[in-house]
Amino acid sequence: MKLGWLVLAFAVGGATAALAAGCRGEGSTAGCPSAQPAAPPIDEALMAFLSAARALHHEADVRQSANDTAGAIASLERLVALPAPGAVEVDEVIADARARLAELRLGQGDVDGADRDVHAGLQRVKGPTYFRGHLLEVEGLLEEARAAALADSGKSEEATRARAKAVNLLEEAVAVQERVIDRALADGGKDGER
Amino acid sequence: MSDPRDRPEDPPQPDPDAPATDEELAESAKLREALEDPRRPNDDAELARAMSSAWSPRDLTAEAHRSLVEQALLHHDARRRRQRVIRLSFGASAVLALAAAVLLYVRSDRQPPETVHVTAMAVSRSTQALFQDPFAPSGGESARIDRIAMARAADLRDNEFAKWGVR
């Protein structure tokens, strides 16, 4: 009886010590106080996505060079629908693909489709990066094309508003790019990669 | 049917008129003393007292009362000692756990353990730093994804080496 209590007491103590060790370790921190989420390491899932995205961009190149714009759009639509892990790289690559899709749709006269792609891309990249700046630039070009179409159809007031919007977006794009450049210069290249 | 004459003879019965042996004399002396002094443990004396009380109950003598109280207190003391042992066990275990936790905390802060490679692993981050200039108004997407994929492939290789402990 006495031995049983002793065993129980030391089991409780041992479990407490093990819990303390677990919270300090590198394994799962679920259940530990103040566990902070960290960026995931670069892994095979991310690389698989990047590899597939790369292949589909090059596939779109081949189709574009053969004047197959619809085929290029189809390749890029597959890209943006790829299953992907949650990672910053994924958001940026998809944002860039959305910008390219928007440009291709704009070339086809699909202004609304291009608009949808631009906005979907902007949802992916919120901070000041070249990716966001590029999307804003494409959106400015889109509004410019919309203004031209409105002017051609005699809707001068709407065309004027679209032109003003285009200028605002292009200015916003320039502002984002300038912030990126300023930050890169302030870092003195510390943030540069290989 | 067996013949009763074939059965072995019964063991010899003790002679009731025989003089008492030394052993019997000693036992009877012990019983007498136990009956006179209830504090002396003796099963036969307990039985005799129980039978006597059942036949003609009477008040406990002061001596018998004191003896019962002493025995009860002895039991109580033994239980208290057991409880103290349990409390001490839990206390010692808690101190041990606390000491282990402090030790682990100090050790993991002081030593860069063998898991240091995990903290040194390349993690997911913006690819912005791969590009020095704003993107061209049109085109260049394939060149960008080429660069991103190559940079992250190198990161993945490094991570694999780190995991294998060869970096």
Side-chain angles (χ1 to χ4, degrees):
Chain A
M1 175 72 179
K2 203 184 294 181
L3 183 68
W5 279 108
L6 275 171
V7 170
L8 178 64
F10 281 101
V12 169
T16 311
L19 187 66
C23 285
R24 296 291 305 168
E26 294 290 344
S28 169
T29 53
C32 298
S34 306
Q36 296 292 327
I42 307 296
D43 59 9
E44 290 85 354
L46 176 61
M47 272 317 300
F49 169 81
L50 293 176
S51 179
R54 187 183 191 189
L56 288 166
H57 264 300
H58 282 276
E59 191 178 287
D61 287 348
V62 172
R63 287 179 164 163
Q64 260 190 289
S65 65
N67 294 319
D68 179 11
T69 306
I73 288 173
S75 297
L76 295 172
E77 281 176 340
R78 280 180 64 198
L79 192 166
V80 298
L82 282 172
V88 185
E89 290 90 339
V90 170
D91 288 331
E92 291 178 346
V93 166
I94 288 181
D96 208 29
R98 288 282 185 188
R100 187 177 183 185
L101 261 175
E103 283 184 277
L104 289 174
R105 291 198 209 278
L106 199 56
Q108 297 283 83
D110 180 7
V111 177
D112 291 338
D115 195 47
R116 279 196 298 275
D117 279 319
V118 165
H119 283 100
L122 287 170
Q123 290 299 310
R124 291 271 183 172
V125 280
K126 303 280 189 185
T129 59
Y130 288 149
F131 296 97
R132 185 172 179 83
H134 184 51
L135 275 163
L136 290 169
E137 184 182 15
V138 172
E139 193 180 10
L141 297 177
L142 189 155
E143 288 301 325
E144 187 184 353
R146 201 196 304 269
L150 288 167
D152 286 348
S153 59
K155 296 175 180 174
S156 57
E157 279 186 26
E158 288 176 58
T160 303
R161 277 200 295 274
R163 270 195 290 272
K165 190 175 177 185
V167 169
N168 284 340
L169 287 165
L170 292 167
E171 281 296 323
E172 195 181 342
V174 171
V176 169
Q177 309 288 34
E178 283 177 345
R179 281 170 64 192
V180 178
I181 293 166
D182 287 346
R183 199 175 55 185
L185 292 175
D187 283 348
K190 274 187 292 183
D191 200 26
E193 294 200 28
R194 66 198 85 200
Chain B
M1 195 174 215
S2 64
D3 187 342
R5 286 172 298 181
D6 294 339
R7 284 187 302 189
E9 288 182 4
D10 290 335
Q13 295 297 316
D15 179 5
D17 296 326
T21 64
D22 291 345
E23 189 183 351
E24 287 167 339
L25 287 171
E27 283 297 318
S28 67
K30 274 188 197 169
L31 176 61
R32 187 172 53 251
E33 286 165 3
L35 286 170
E36 287 168 358
D37 183 359
R39 286 174 300 183
R40 288 174 186 270
N42 187 298
D43 290 344
D44 291 336
E46 289 291 323
L47 178 64
R49 277 193 212 98
M51 289 175 71
S52 169
S53 297
W55 182 255
S56 57
R58 57 181 180 275
D59 290 342
L60 284 174
T61 63
E63 189 67 18
H65 179 259
R66 191 163 45 247
S67 168
L68 289 172
V69 168
E70 279 173 8
Q71 281 178 17
L73 287 175
L74 273 175
H75 282 300
H76 180 68
D77 284 349
R79 220 159 76 192
R80 284 187 63 184
R81 271 199 299 276
R82 267 206 307 277
Q83 286 172 348
R84 195 177 308 133
V85 167
I86 290 165
R87 276 200 296 272
L88 282 174
S89 303
F90 270 104
S93 177
V95 170
L96 179 74
L98 185 65
V102 169
L103 185 68
L104 285 167
Y105 186 86
V106 170
R107 278 189 61 196
S108 58
D109 273 0
R110 273 189 180 172
Q111 296 179 349
E114 65 279 338
T115 50
V116 75
H117 63 268
V118 174
T119 54
M121 285 176 87
V123 295
S124 171
R125 61 202 183 280
S126 173
T127 60
Q128 173 62 69
L130 293 170
F131 307 103
Q132 303 303 317
D133 301 306
F135 302 160
S138 185
E141 295 88 354
S142 294
R144 288 198 284 276
I145 185 69
D146 287 349
R147 195 160 189 182
I148 292 168
M150 282 192 287
R152 291 300 177 262
D155 285 343
L156 179 61
R157 257 195 317 277
D158 287 348
N159 284 354
E160 294 295 327
F161 287 139
K163 267 195 266 183
W164 299 331
V166 293
R167 193 168 61 174

